[in-house]
Amino acid sequence: MYQYASGEDSASVSFTNAGTFNLDANAVANAVVDGSADANAMGVSQEAYASAASFSFANSGTFTVDAVANAAGSSTGDAGARAAGYLADGYSVDATVANSGTLAVKANATGTTVAVAEAVGINLDAGTYTTSISSVVSTFGGDLTGTITNSGTLN
């Protein structure tokens, strides 16, 4: 699920789950010679760009993201699985993240030659940007503030 907001003064994005959110990405490759499989699962991705950007993620239910990749071949079998639960990205990030339910993120890869699996539960990223107006260069952003509260289960 993807959310985007942009504005000169303010921008906000919000996600709430009180029920069941399940996302499964599966990739399987079986080959005589070369097999390759990639599975990518993104639960919630939020982007907001403004001088005041707010992000909200609340889970009181069951939130599950799974990625599974299997590849086999007599010469190569390359598998990659990537799963992410919640990602927030902006120049200045003020995030409120609350989990009182179950948040589970899993990645599994099996390959005859290469297997790579990556799982990220919560990732907050505040980058910077540079503007140039009339030979004046200004750099903004890079501020990360907020809270992460967990009274539930993280897997």
Side-chain angles (χ1 to χ4, degrees), residues 76-125:
T76 61
D78 297 344
R82 286 154 211 87
Y86 173 60
L87 302 177
D89 185 27
Y91 299 135
S92 292
V93 175
D94 183 9
T96 302
V97 179
N99 177 57
S100 60
T102 299
L103 192 145
V105 181
K106 301 175 203 163
N108 186 307
T110 305
T112 52
T113 53
V114 175
V116 176
E118 299 173 82
V120 175
I122 299 168
N123 183 50
L124 307 177
D125 183 21

Side-chain angles (χ1 to χ4, degrees), residues 40-145:
N40 295 292
M42 170 64 66
V44 174
S45 176
Q46 295 177 329
E47 287 186 66
Y49 300 97
S51 58
S54 64
F55 297 76
S56 174
F57 175 89
N59 176 54
S60 61
T62 302
F63 186 95
T64 306
V65 179
D66 291 313
V68 177
N70 297 302
S74 62
S75 178
T76 61
D78 297 344
R82 286 154 211 87
Y86 173 60
L87 302 177
D89 185 27
Y91 299 135
S92 292
V93 175
D94 183 9
T96 302
V97 179
N99 177 57
S100 60
T102 299
L103 192 145
V105 181
K106 301 175 203 163
N108 186 307
T110 305
T112 52
T113 53
V114 175
V116 176
E118 299 173 82
V120 175
I122 299 168
N123 183 50
L124 307 177
D125 183 21
T128 60
Y129 70 99
T130 302
T131 63
S132 178
I133 300 171
S134 300
S135 300
V136 176
V137 177
S138 301
T139 301
F140 301 93
D143 298 324
L144 176 59
T145 59

